[in-house]
């Protein structure tokens, strides 16, 4: 249902002309594996804004992401280096993956 809804979505409430694309992750699958990947990641450090952290949803409501099991390292800053002259820094440590976990009970 999610893929059907968001693939090629064009009617955004903010008026952008972007069209969405949905791709399945090839590297990590399953709730436990995704939580294990991110719970001790530098992306979970308190200095990282919540907007950049993974979201965990149960029945459409966001719930608290499981607490880290170890001390979370401060994220490193790295140059984006996209080759287009834009040398803004970005936060390293998230592995480049995006995570929004929806879990149905």
């Amino acid at each position: 249902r999610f893929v059907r809804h968001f693939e090629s979505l064009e009617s955004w409430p903010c008026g952008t002309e972007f069209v969405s694309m949905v791709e399945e992750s090839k590297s990590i699958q399953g709730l436990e594996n995704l939580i294990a990947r991110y719970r001790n990641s530098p992306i979970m450090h308190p200095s990282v804004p919540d907007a950049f952290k993974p979201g965990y949803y149960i029945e459409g409501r966001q719930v608290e992401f499981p607490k880290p099991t170890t001390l979370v390292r401060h994220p490193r800053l790295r140059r984006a280096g996209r080759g287009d002259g834009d040398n803004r820094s970005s936060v390293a440590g998230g592995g480049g993956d995006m995570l929004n976990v929806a879990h149905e009970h």
Side-chain angles (χ1 to χ4, degrees):
R1 233 172 42 182
F2 176 88
V3 172
R4 278 195 316 265
H5 179 79
F6 285 99
E7 182 62 35
S8 301
L9 183 67
E10 298 180 45
S11 57
W12 298 101
C14 58
T16 183
E17 294 181 18
F18 288 106
V19 177
S20 68
M21 181 176 79
V22 179
E23 289 185 358
E24 182 178 321
S25 173
K26 305 277 190 268
S27 59
I28 302 174
Q29 292 293 315
L31 180 60
E32 287 86 23
N33 290 333
L34 288 165
I35 289 172
R37 163 68 178 93
Y38 288 98
R39 76 184 318 167
N40 296 317
S41 168
I43 201 72
M44 299 305 288
H45 191 272
S47 67
V48 176
D50 287 342
F52 296 105
K53 294 180 180 180
Y56 182 24
Y57 298 85
I58 296 177
E59 295 180 1
R61 294 195 175 147
Q62 188 166 11
V63 296
E64 185 176 7
F65 200 83
K67 298 280 186 204
T69 58
T70 63
L71 185 63
V72 175
R73 293 179 300 139
H74 195 282
R76 302 179 319 270
L77 290 180
R78 64 178 175 205
R79 293 284 177 195
R82 298 185 321 203
D84 60 2
D86 183 359
N87 290 322
R88 293 178 289 179
S89 293
S90 61
V91 175
D97 298 324
M98 300 293 281
L99 169 68
N100 279 307
V101 177
H103 180 65
E104 300 288 332
H105 275 291

